[in-house]
Amino acid sequence: MATKLNWPSADAVSAARANIPDIVVGRLPVYLRTLELMAGEGREVASSQELGARLGISSAQIRKDLSHFGEFGKQGTGYNVAFLRRQLEQILKVNCVWPVVLVGAGYLGHALASYNGFEHRGFRIVAVFDSDPAKIGNRVSPSIVVEPVSAIGETLQRCQCQIGMIAVPAEAAQKVADTLVEAGIRSILCYAPITLNVPAHVRVEYIDPVIHLQHMTFYLRQGCDEGSAPS
Amino acid sequence: MATKLNWPSADAVSAARANIPDIVVGRLPVYLRTLELMAGEGREVASSQELGARLGISSAQIRKDLSHFGEFGKQGTGYNVAFLRRQLEQILKVNCVWPVVLVGAGYLGHALASYNGFEHRGFRIVAVFDSDPAKIGNRVSPSIVVEPVSAIGETLQRCQCQIGMIAVPAEAAQKVADTLVEAGIRSILCYAPITLNVPAHVRVEYIDPVIHLQHMTFYLRQGCDEGSAPS
DNA sequence: TAGATTGTTAATCGATTAACAATC
DNA sequence: TAGATTGTTAATCGATTAACAATC
């Protein structure tokens, strides 16, 4: 790859980014998470082999993935954990804290609002919205009080937030997504079990535990009570 | 494909299952979720084209994926929603309710224990464990009281449970996984931000919102406050 | 019948891996 | 130097898609 010692122009960086397979980008956060863990263990260097063993993937894949972005390792030694970590943070743009808004203040919304694992990995929930009048005004974290959904537009303009999380029931999710998009959100993490319809410039990722569970039951021997059918 | 009208023997089914790409299996729950939605809308038939449009994937992919399992559609018409739904439930083995145990009774554990979206999609949390003495004995749902982690072995023997969910802090997750594996669990859904080390016969899937958020920030223009670095 | 859509084939496209020269 | 490990190439492997005969 040409991108070595002299870093290219901002335009060239954008172009290079566009050519990197999305599946590769998707693995970088996992590499980063592992490096954070190893840093916590006091490890100073890590080989692609060791990383691969920890993650259950091949060392070749790790080296190839990283090679899209530069040369971060040293022959005979491996990768400096702290250095590679900083590089990945930069590549993923999490060498800072992104403000995030959350819609939905039910059990899940509460869990997300009080989760303390966001901040040191680049994210901070700065506002929580709900449509239930009974919830508006409730404090969901030391610094956050639930606002009405109708306030999304105004609040988003103030905090310049590009990321939204949706933790409302499936029936309400599309409307919430429309509101977020209207307010200028560019990325949505959707916990509602539904595929959202959004314009092309908005990226959506999904978290639905049942999807994962159903993926796993395919491989299990049927051991559940067949008498009790769902729905 | 040979598997058409006469269904093959149980052995042949197992063999066929083994040859189906995991990535295909992973999309079936998404198809099923969409069919449930369409059934709720009163839709009776759906073409691969329509399903694809809703999910943002090609109609060819949907037809190809389904063709691994049989012929479920009708030329000129498409798929009968209720029929295809039943078939997918059968293939994924969610035409019944699987018991699931949950370890971790923090905010997230509570949210999972009270989530009412599991049951009609094939899963029921039947026990919740925590290591914090202050939490043991607490009621987390109408039918569930938090038990000590030390009770996992015994409880699992009683409920014949093959699936576990981990919602404990990262530092505690590996030990919990070891305990679950020891107790005979075959599938783990892990919410802790860590890659677990488990024997080959145990399947693990992960849910970590930060992984998704970091995947998305790669594509955003840096808009977060660069002064406030994480960690 | 005419129009629509399936299931399947073959071609294309893309991702993973094995292997190795370079080099620390 | 000898051993280890990188970054990269080329080969392999697998997944997606376009196209179409079959047929409802």
Side-chain angles (χ1 to χ4, degrees):
Chain A
M1 183 161 177
T3 314
K4 284 193 183 184
L5 299 173
N6 295 337
W7 275 93
S9 68
D11 269 10
V13 168
S14 291
R17 291 200 154 232
N19 289 329
I20 291 163
D22 186 64
I23 197 163
V24 170
V25 177
R27 281 189 293 260
L28 300 185
V30 181
Y31 299 164
L32 175 55
R33 191 174 71 181
T34 306
L35 290 165
E36 285 162 7
L37 213 63
M38 296 180 77
E41 292 166 5
R43 299 293 313 282
E44 291 195 349
V45 294
S47 66
S48 58
Q49 179 137 114
E50 185 184 359
L51 281 166
R54 266 180 108 123
L55 295 173
I57 61 184
S58 77
S59 62
Q61 179 160 87
I62 290 177
R63 293 198 301 279
K64 182 127 231 281
D65 284 354
L66 295 177
S67 76
H68 282 100
F69 302 95
E71 300 184 345
F72 304 123
K74 196 182 272 184
Q75 282 104 324
T77 309
Y79 301 90
N80 177 292
V81 170
F83 176 74
L84 183 54
R85 177 186 181 181
R86 274 196 307 275
Q87 294 300 310
L88 287 177
E89 285 176 349
Q90 212 167 91
I91 291 164
L92 292 169
K93 301 190 189 135
V94 290
N95 51 346
C96 60
V97 177
W98 294 81
V100 176
V101 298
L102 166 64
V103 187
Y107 284 111
L108 179 58
H110 265 84
L112 291 169
S114 16
Y115 181 50
N116 61 15
F118 284 125
E119 185 99 12
H120 73 279
R121 293 170 73 196
F123 303 91
R124 180 188 300 146
I125 294 178
V126 297
V128 177
F129 303 93
D130 203 294
S131 59
D132 180 356
K135 285 184 186 138
I136 292 161
N138 284 0
R139 185 165 297 276
V140 289
S141 88
S143 59
I144 301 176
V145 166
V146 179
E147 301 175 59
V149 164
S150 58
I152 287 178
E154 198 201 338
T155 302
L156 257 144
Q157 208 141 36
R158 200 170 55 244
C159 76
Q160 294 288 318
C161 201
Q162 300 182 60
I163 308 171
M165 296 183 23
I166 297 180
V168 302
E171 312 80 64
Q174 181 62 57
K175 205 160 200 176
V176 166
D178 294 343
T179 307
L180 289 174
V181 169
E182 168 69 25
I185 281 287
R186 316 286 298 205
S187 302
I188 295 176
L189 181 55
C190 179
Y191 279 84
I194 183 183
T195 300
L196 298 175
N197 192 345
V198 298
H201 72 274
V202 176
R203 187 182 175 96
V204 186
E205 303 239 343
Y206 298 90
I207 290 183
D208 177 355
V210 176
I211 295 289
H212 293 273
L213 293 171
Q214 292 183 340
H215 190 168
M216 295 196 289
T217 50
F218 178 86
Y219 297 101
L220 290 176
R221 67 187 186 286
Q222 190 125 20
C224 56
D225 179 0
E226 297 194 47
S228 53
S231 77
Chain B
M1 181 158 180
T3 314
K4 285 194 183 185
L5 298 173
N6 297 336
W7 274 93
S9 69
D11 269 9
V13 168
S14 291
R17 290 199 156 233
N19 289 329
I20 290 162
D22 185 64
I23 198 161
V24 170
V25 177
R27 281 190 293 259
L28 300 185
V30 181
Y31 299 164
L32 175 54
R33 190 174 71 180
T34 305
L35 290 165
E36 284 163 7
L37 213 65
M38 296 180 77
E41 293 166 6
R43 299 293 312 283
E44 291 194 351
V45 295
S47 66
S48 59
Q49 179 138 113
E50 184 183 0
L51 282 166
R54 264 179 110 124
L55 296 172
I57 62 184
S58 76
S59 61
Q61 179 159 87
I62 291 178
R63 292 198 303 278
K64 182 124 228 282
D65 284 353
L66 296 177
S67 75
H68 282 100
F69 302 94
E71 299 182 347
F72 305 123
K74 194 181 275 185
Q75 282 105 324
T77 308
Y79 302 89
N80 178 292
V81 170
F83 175 74
L84 183 55
R85 178 186 180 179
R86 274 196 307 277
Q87 294 300 309
L88 287 177
E89 285 176 349
Q90 213 168 90
I91 292 165
L92 292 169
K93 303 190 189 134
V94 291
N95 50 347
C96 61
V97 176
W98 294 81
V100 176
V101 299
L102 167 64
V103 186
Y107 283 110
L108 179 59
H110 265 84
L112 292 169
S114 15
Y115 181 50
N116 61 15
F118 285 125
E119 186 100 12
H120 72 279
R121 295 171 72 196
F123 303 92
R124 180 188 300 148
I125 294 178
V126 297
V128 177
F129 304 92
D130 203 294
S131 59
D132 180 357
K135 288 186 183 135
I136 293 161
N138 284 358
R139 186 165 297 277
V140 289
S141 88
S143 59
I144 302 175
V145 165
V146 178
E147 301 175 58
V149 164
S150 58
I152 287 179
E154 198 201 337
T155 302
L156 256 146
Q157 208 140 37
R158 199 169 56 243
C159 76
Q160 294 288 317
C161 201
Q162 301 182 59
I163 307 172
M165 295 182 22
I166 296 180
V168 304
E171 312 80 64
Q174 181 61 58
K175 205 159 203 176
V176 166
D178 294 343
T179 306
L180 289 173
V181 169
E182 168 69 24
I185 282 287
R186 316 286 297 206
S187 302
I188 294 176
L189 180 54
C190 178
Y191 279 84
I194 184 183
T195 301
L196 297 175
N197 194 345
V198 299
H201 71 274
V202 177
R203 188 183 174 94
V204 186
E205 303 237 344
Y206 298 91
I207 290 183
D208 177 356
V210 176
I211 295 288
H212 293 274
L213 293 170
Q214 291 182 340
H215 190 167
M216 295 196 289
T217 50
F218 178 86
Y219 297 101
L220 289 175
R221 65 184 188 288
Q222 189 125 20
C224 58
D225 180 0
E226 298 193 48
S228 51
S231 77

